[in-house]
């Protein structure tokens, strides 16, 4: 089970779910305080801005970020849930959770995962650049990007509500 939440709900989500692993995908300078139940070795901080193309002074999603996310997801032992968060729980974290689900279930249809994501969160708007890079890295031949484009932009909100993506 992968749980997604905004930074403001991180401790609550970890406590509620019993998660032991946390993936933080957030701006480099944003401080993240881990709940005391999460060991440092079970946390990955991946720092980049929530942008869809390179911009001066900002860090855009890159293959290095995707490789870090994929490596962490594949090392996650799955005995307890994984929590993925960004600042608002809308774009970077939803993209990262989608990427993790596609990587961990390579036989599962990309569109089905994207539809499950939309059903779980009407607000989710996965970062399209991050998904596109992962699509190439996972050899999904554009299907991940097409599936995310098909679910469209999520409903506008100040912050997302925590939600979960079930794995088989």
């Amino acid at each position: 089970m992968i749980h997604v939440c905004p930074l403001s709900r991180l401790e609550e989500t970890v406590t509620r779910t019993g998660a032991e692993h946390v993936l933080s995908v957030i701006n480099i300078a944003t401080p993240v305080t881990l709940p005391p139940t999460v060991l440092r070795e079970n946390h990955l901080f991946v720092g980049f801005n929530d942008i869809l193309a390179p911009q001066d002074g900002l860090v855009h999603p890159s293959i290095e970020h995707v490789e870090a996310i994929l490596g962490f997801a594949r090392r996650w032992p799955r005995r307890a849930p994984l929590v993925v968060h960004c600042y608002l729980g809308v774009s970077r974290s939803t993209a990262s959770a989608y990427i993790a689900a596609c990587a961990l279930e390579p036989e599962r249809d990309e569109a089905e995962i994207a539809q499950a994501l939309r059903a779980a969160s009407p607000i989710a708007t996965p970062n399209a650049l991050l998904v596109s890079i992962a699509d190439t890295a996972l050899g999904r031949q554009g299907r991940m990007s097409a599936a995310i484009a098909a679910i469209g932009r999520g409903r506008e909100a100040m912050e997302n509500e925590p939600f979960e993506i079930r794995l088989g």
Side-chain angles (χ1 to χ4, degrees), residues 75-139:
R75 288 188 306 275
W76 166 47
R78 296 172 74 170
R79 67 177 173 267
L82 167 65
V83 170
V84 181
H85 79 91
C86 59
Y87 195 74
L88 298 177
V90 174
S91 183
R92 289 170 287 190
S93 58
T94 60
S96 297
Y98 176 71
I99 290 164
C102 287
L104 295 172
E105 297 188 326
E107 72 292 340
R108 193 170 169 196
D109 182 69
E110 302 85 358
E112 190 271 324
I113 299 171
Q115 288 295 330
L117 173 69
R118 173 56 69 231
S121 175
I123 295 168
T125 303
N127 181 291
L129 178 56
L130 192 63
V131 170
S132 174
I133 296 166
D135 193 322
T136 300
L138 292 172

Side-chain angles (χ1 to χ4, degrees), residues 20-32:
E20 296 175 357
H21 288 71
V22 172
L23 172 58
S24 301
V25 282
I26 201 160
N27 293 356
I28 292 170
T30 303
V32 174

Side-chain angles (χ1 to χ4, degrees), residues 58-72:
L58 300 178
V59 178
H60 64 279
S62 70
I63 186 63
E64 291 80 17
H65 300 126
V66 167
E67 287 171 350
I69 292 165
L70 291 172
F72 188 74

Side-chain angles (χ1 to χ4, degrees), residues 29-40:
T30 303
V32 174
T33 303
L34 280 180
T37 56
V38 177
L39 301 174
R40 284 265 169 236

